Amino acid sequence: KAGVTQTPRYLIKTRGQQVTLSCSPISGHRSVSWYQQTPGQGLQFLFEYFSETQRNKGNFPGRFSGRQFSNSRSEMNVSTLELGDSALYLCASSWGQGGSNEQFFGPGTRLTVL
Amino acid sequence: AQSVTQLDSQVPVFEEAPVELRCNYSSSVSVYLFWYVQYPNQGLQLLLKYLSGSTLVKGINGFEAEFNKSQTSFHLRKPSVHISDTAEYFCAASSGYALNFGKGTSLLVTP
């Protein structure tokens, strides 16, 4: 069974631009979560989608948004990029909602904002 | 939300020596605990998890962890490490939907 895939793997943008990252979960998984990883803040939860609905959201500004499609694939969008948005963005999928469900992580998208 | 503290940011150890990576979590009515490993330029891989039941949890690659409710700890151990265990290790807790991660412990195994 294929793992979680994320595209692109690397991205370079300039301040003020917007970016869209894509995540394809493991087949059969219906929950997709996004995390931001930076050296200073570590791993922080962005949001979770289940059945095309955002179920939970972390403490991030409205510039960060996402969506989930009927095939469970998910995208996240960051508008008006800031230097501080440079990070590794990780997507994780799980079969169901709830903290007991094992989350499987993709390799991440490395975003650099210049 | 759960908070997780990893007590050591870096742990250097010689090959074939035992290692313990420490993790404490804030108490909660119910909590699920996880250890993940991250190799350079990769995502996170689950080593082991505690959901309920036996407090000693065995995972992949020879790792194990012990859930201690009274001390709110979930320390990761391995009796004999290999060079290939060099990586970043994250402890995480969940009582809801999201995983709350510790800051990570960098394990450096040298010959």
Side-chain angles (χ1 to χ4, degrees):
Chain A
K1 186 183 275 191
V4 178
T5 58
Q6 292 187 245
T7 55
R9 290 292 312 276
Y10 301 90
L11 208 47
I12 299 175
K13 293 285 187 179
T14 56
R15 280 181 298 173
Q17 287 187 310
Q18 76 167 23
V19 67
T20 299
L21 312 181
S22 181
C23 171
S24 293
I26 291 172
S27 178
H29 285 191
R30 297 170 61 194
S31 173
V32 173
S33 298
W34 289 88
Y35 295 83
Q36 182 196 63
Q37 184 177 22
T38 59
Q41 300 298 318
L43 283 150
Q44 294 183 285
F45 171 73
L46 280 158
F47 28 64
E48 181 207 13
Y49 285 86
F50 184 83
S51 293
E52 302 178 62
T53 303
Q54 186 181 94
R55 303 290 178 160
N56 292 281
K57 191 177 192 317
N59 188 26
F60 279 82
R63 300 184 297 107
F64 291 82
S65 63
R67 58 179 176 169
Q68 186 180 34
F69 302 96
S70 58
N71 61 358
S72 294
R73 190 177 69 86
S74 177
E75 289 180 347
M76 68 163 280
N77 183 277
V78 188
S79 62
T80 320
L81 284 166
E82 301 177 359
L83 295 179
D85 297 333
S86 292
L88 181 66
Y89 290 88
L90 293 165
C91 165
S93 75
S94 61
W95 181 82
Q97 284 188 287
S100 64
N101 283 279
E102 178 180 347
Q103 296 191 25
F104 294 81
F105 284 80
T109 293
R110 173 79 60 186
L111 172 65
T112 301
V113 182
L114 303 176
Chain B
Q2 289 288 328
S3 69
V4 177
T5 303
Q6 291 185 242
L7 298 164
D8 306 294
S9 59
Q10 294 183 4
V11 173
V13 63
F14 289 111
E15 190 175 21
E16 297 183 6
V19 70
E20 179 179 80
L21 306 184
R22 297 181 294 169
C23 172
N24 286 94
Y25 64 95
S26 61
S27 62
S28 176
V29 174
S30 63
V31 61
Y32 306 113
L33 296 164
F34 306 82
W35 274 100
Y36 283 87
V37 61
Q38 185 177 35
Y39 299 102
N41 299 315
Q42 294 187 27
L44 302 174
Q45 180 184 9
L46 181 68
L47 284 174
L48 47 78
K49 60 185 176 184
Y50 172 79
L51 304 181
S52 65
S54 173
T55 57
L56 182 63
V57 181
K58 293 192 182 294
I60 63 171
N61 301 341
F63 285 94
E64 64 179 32
E66 184 150 21
F67 171 66
N68 188 318
K69 188 173 182 179
S70 62
Q71 297 187 10
T72 60
S73 68
F74 189 55
H75 300 336
L76 181 70
R77 293 190 288 259
K78 186 169 183 177
S80 176
V81 295
H82 301 128
I83 298 288
S84 59
D85 292 323
T86 294
E88 191 82 13
Y89 292 79
F90 293 94
C91 180
S94 175
S95 58
Y97 300 102
L99 288 169
N100 295 293
F101 287 90
K103 292 293 189 183
T105 296
S106 179
L107 176 64
L108 177 60
V109 183
T110 54

